[in-house]
Amino acid sequence: MTQLRIATFNLLHGQPLAPDGTPLPLTAEPGEPLSEAIAALDADVLALQEVDRHQERSGFTDQAAVAAKAMGAADWRFAAALHGRPAPLAGWLTDPARPGLTVYGPSEVGTATELPSYGTALLTRLPVHHWRARRFAPAPFGLPLRVAGRRGLTPVPDEPRAALAAVLQGERGQFTVVATHLSFVPGWNMAQLAAIRRWVADLPRPCLVLGDFNLIGAVPRTVLGSTGARDRVRDARAARQARILQPGPRRRRVREPRPRLHGWYDLAKTPTYPSHRPAVQFDHVLAMGVPRSSVGSAEAPRTGVSDHRPLVVQVSL
């Protein structure tokens, strides 16, 4: 089987950084560092977080479109969690005329240039059968966080978040990929991840959820798998009951090998933040229904943009 390169990358709006993590000014071609970073990943499926569209701070670049061109994506979507402009120490100055979710794709390139926006993107080289998008409201309070270019901790309000799901066609059949960026507020992000699990429960498996979760260790897979065992028991009971109720003479039972069931698990465990000296893993690729034998190598390469490193995993699907 051909192994696909599945990747997630928090862009920090394509901010170039020095080797020590210090922000650098934009280049004459604002989208060029981002384009080079994306091309180097050579991803077949790519989730992007903290993506700008027509923002002054990123040179008015449509970053999802730049990334799509750089990786040769056949299809993509950008989910604008908000329309507005960043405000120092105040989060965002949002556009009251566009309070909800807006989804842009290849057909919208060059449109709505007067509406700066910010959100999450999902790009793929594979055929897409179905797209789905949703928005999460921000937590009612923020937290003091480390911000690139500032010393100490800075009070940061939470912001709306977005998730994108796509049903893709792989060599083995259809599978689902979800891209998201969860809140940094503890508990709030876990509730968002649990909501995503329910939101895509009807879509084809295998399923992969990737993005910046702002969660570490075993927490993401624990949240996603919190009902997995009950679901498997329920399905097994339903199948057994269906066999019992099947009309006609009872036939000799033949034992067939059972496929090994796989719960949610991490396809890669490696630190991704901060990019100049990774110490923790906020960025994850989790899977359900993917045999471990189908998972190849994983890496978190250094790029010239963002305070996160991208996470790239090779998987046969």
Side-chain angles (χ1 to χ4, degrees):
M1 295 294 297
T2 302
Q3 284 203 316
L4 301 174
R5 290 175 63 83
I6 310 292
T8 181
F9 190 14
N10 181 321
L11 298 183
L12 187 65
H13 55 268
Q15 174 65 58
L17 297 182
D20 64 353
T22 304
L24 297 173
L26 293 178
T27 62
E29 293 292 334
E32 187 173 346
L34 173 62
S35 178
E36 292 176 354
I38 298 300
L41 298 180
D42 191 26
D44 296 295
V45 180
L46 176 61
L48 299 176
Q49 304 86 44
E50 298 196 21
V51 184
D52 275 0
R53 188 176 195 267
H54 306 312
Q55 294 283 356
E56 182 178 5
R57 67 180 179 184
S58 49
F60 301 99
T61 302
D62 185 342
Q63 293 186 328
V66 168
K69 182 178 180 180
M71 68 177 278
D75 201 358
W76 57 274
R77 293 293 186 273
F78 166 67
L82 61 83
H83 286 85
R85 294 178 173 83
L89 306 180
W92 291 87
L93 297 175
T94 57
D95 185 345
R98 303 294 289 265
L101 177 72
T102 302
V103 179
Y104 299 93
S107 62
E108 285 79 37
V109 173
T111 67
T113 57
E114 76 287 358
L115 293 171
S117 56
Y118 170 84
T120 298
L122 180 58
L123 310 90
T124 179
R125 294 170 175 171
L126 304 179
V128 181
H129 292 280
H130 174 69
W131 286 101
R132 183 179 290 184
R134 71 169 293 173
R135 182 179 186 267
F136 295 101
F141 54 89
L143 290 175
L145 301 175
R146 292 192 179 277
V147 177
R150 296 178 184 172
R151 292 185 178 181
L153 299 177
T154 301
V156 179
D158 196 18
E159 61 195 30
R161 309 284 171 160
L164 282 161
V167 177
L168 307 180
Q169 182 64 45
E171 291 186 15
R172 293 176 175 172
Q174 295 183 15
F175 66 98
T176 300
V177 175
V178 183
T180 192
H181 184 195
L182 304 179
S183 170
F184 53 73
V185 176
W188 202 262
N189 45 23
M190 296 170 64
Q192 291 172 340
L193 189 56
I196 287 173
R197 181 194 63 214
R198 297 188 296 269
W199 179 56
V200 298
D202 62 320
L203 296 181
R205 292 186 179 178
C207 182
L208 293 88
V209 180
L210 43 155
D212 177 0
F213 295 170
N214 280 306
L215 295 167
I216 62 174
V219 176
R221 66 177 180 269
T222 301
V223 172
L224 285 173
S226 60
T227 61
R230 291 198 298 270
D231 288 344
R232 291 194 294 273
V233 171
R234 180 197 61 200
D235 293 345
R237 286 176 177 171
R240 186 165 58 248
Q241 187 68 18
R243 289 196 298 270
I244 293 173
L245 298 177
Q246 187 174 7
R250 295 193 63 174
R251 290 178 289 182
R252 181 184 175 188
R253 183 178 180 184
V254 178
R255 288 189 175 273
E256 298 179 353
R258 295 181 179 181
R260 184 181 176 188
L261 296 174
H262 296 269
W264 289 98
Y265 71 99
D266 299 89
L267 271 60
K269 296 180 181 179
T270 184
T272 57
Y273 179 89
S275 58
H276 67 288
R277 190 179 299 170
V280 295
Q281 182 177 357
F282 291 135
D283 308 275
H284 300 268
V285 177
L286 281 88
M288 160 68 84
V290 177
R292 294 179 186 267
S293 59
S294 299
V295 182
S297 62
E299 59 179 328
R302 180 77 185 271
T303 73
V305 300
S306 184
D307 55 348
H308 287 244
R309 290 195 180 193
L311 183 62
V312 187
V313 184
Q314 297 193 55
V315 190
S316 297
L317 291 165

